[in-house]
Each structure stands twice: as structure tokens, then as C-alpha cells.
Amino acid sequence: KHPHLQNNNNNNNTQKPRLVGDHTAAKPQPQQEEEEESSENSPSDEDSAWITWFCSLRGNEFFCEVDEDYIQDDFNLTGLRVVPYYDYALDMILDVEMPMEEELTEEQQEIVESAAEMLYGLIHARYIVTNRGMHAMYEKYRTSSFGRCPNVFCQGQPVLPVGLSDLPRNYTVNVFCPRCHGLFFPKSTRQANIDGAYFGTTFPHLCLMTHPEMIPAKPTQQYIPRVYGFKIHSSSLYYINHEEGPQRSNNSNNNGGQIEAASSRNSSRKKRVPSSSRK
């Protein structure tokens, strides 16, 4: 939960009970006072905006901060009212004081928080295909914030996030390698649970088309399977089953069906009694 929505209980620190005659416990050490002052002076999560807080959460490193001007433009939010508690979720994202917040039950409050995350994710998918959003994601790409390609021959090529669907709750996010064009799961399990619709199917490819200087050359090497140092021949079942496995299985199923049909016809013919034997 965002700290704005929680009760501020951080100041109710439990202290060690003071013993009778213990005069050292009454006066804190100077180092402790400095630590307390530094913790009070340091910017807390309560002072940060909801967008900054959300993007700083562990596992949300793939997200960039969407400009509030972009969110406040109703045109950019067209078609997103399908999100439950849309108005409450939008106010939460923009840190707008909600006068009706006190009337929400705890269950409704949790729904609003979940709706705010979904709404921000869908807005994020639209924002990152704009010039400003693409630039923000490009800065993350430069620092390899999205991870690196696990393909050995890609030599640590930075990857870009991509979704397999533009509709939420269908697929989780994947990472796309611009070098080998491979699709992989994110390295972090927290990131692997993010909805892929929050990044969409367009972003990495449009980003590379917009910035062709980002496009790396394809790997010059390719892995060749060997057994005791010898290449496996292309006529081996190792390759035949790999390349034609699904097709071969379908053909075998079809052939099996044809064989069963033929056997059933033959059996029916055998059951027929010749006309000469009827006399």
C-alpha cells in the first residue's frame, strides 16, 4: 500500500524499559540522536508522489514514470473506463484528495489500489510509444534495466520488454532481444508476474524502427550440436523429430484414423452373407 493510505505508526517505536537506577538509559547517545535526525530529514515515501512510489517498488523496474500532463489529458485515456473504480483509481494516481475516501470500506480500498495499478499499467503501455515515453524507456535500455539476453552468442545484449497481448490478464511480460529476436522470460520472478499488456505488443519494435542506430547486428555464431566431436547429420531423427515433430504426429494420427476406418470397413464386409449361401 502507498504510505499515504496507511496509518503513520512509524513514530511509535518501542523503547527498552528503563531500569531503576539506570541513569544511562535516560540520555540517548549522540550517535543515536544523529541517526534519528537523519532519518527524519531524509525524504520519506510519504512525501513522494504515487507514480514515483509505484515505479520505485521492487519488481516494478520495467516501468517508467508517466508524465502527469499526459494522464490529465482525457484523450489519452479513451477507452480505459472499463477499469473498476476508474475515478477513484485516477485520483489515486494523480494524488488528488478524495473526499469520499472515508466512506470506502477496507475491501473497496484494496480494489481501488488494484484498479490504480491496472489503470497506470494500461496508461503506461500507451505512453511508452510516444516520444517522451520512448525516450524514458531508452534511458532504461541504455543502463540494461530490463536485463540482458541469455543467449550466449548475443554477448549480453540488453533486451526490451514486450507483451504477447494488448489485453490485460492474458499473458505476463516477456523480454525481446534485438540481436537474436528471441523472446525470453524476465530474470526476476517479481518482474515475470507483471501483466504484459502494461507494455503492449508494439513498443520494442516501434522503438527500434524509430531509432535504427539501436539495432545490433545478428549473431555471427550459431550453436552446432555435436556427439563426441562429430556433427549430427541432418537426416538423423534428432533433426527430423525436432523440425517435423508436430506435423509428423498429426500425420500419424491421421494415418491411424484411416487405418481404423479401413479395418472397420473390411470387418463389415466379412459379416455380409453371400447371396448364394442364402438359398
Side-chain angles (χ1 to χ4, degrees), residues 70-126:
Y70 182 87
I71 301 177
Q72 291 173 351
D73 189 344
D74 294 336
F75 177 79
N76 298 326
L77 309 184
T78 303
L80 296 183
R81 283 192 169 271
V82 294
V83 177
Y85 289 89
Y86 172 85
D87 294 325
Y88 288 100
L90 184 60
D91 289 344
M92 181 177 293
I93 293 173
L94 297 176
D95 296 307
V96 177
E97 294 292 336
M98 293 182 290
M100 303 295 294
E101 182 180 4
E102 296 180 357
E103 298 184 6
L104 293 176
T105 63
E106 184 176 355
E107 182 179 358
Q108 290 175 331
Q109 188 67 27
E110 292 179 357
I111 297 176
V112 171
E113 294 172 7
S114 178
E117 295 179 5
M118 176 184 291
L119 179 60
Y120 183 81
L122 297 177
I123 296 173
H124 181 269
R126 299 182 178 187

Side-chain angles (χ1 to χ4, degrees), residues 32-46:
Q32 294 178 350
E33 291 181 352
E34 293 177 0
E35 291 179 356
E36 292 177 358
E37 291 177 358
S38 61
S39 62
E40 293 177 357
N41 296 333
S42 60
S44 62
D45 292 336
E46 298 179 1

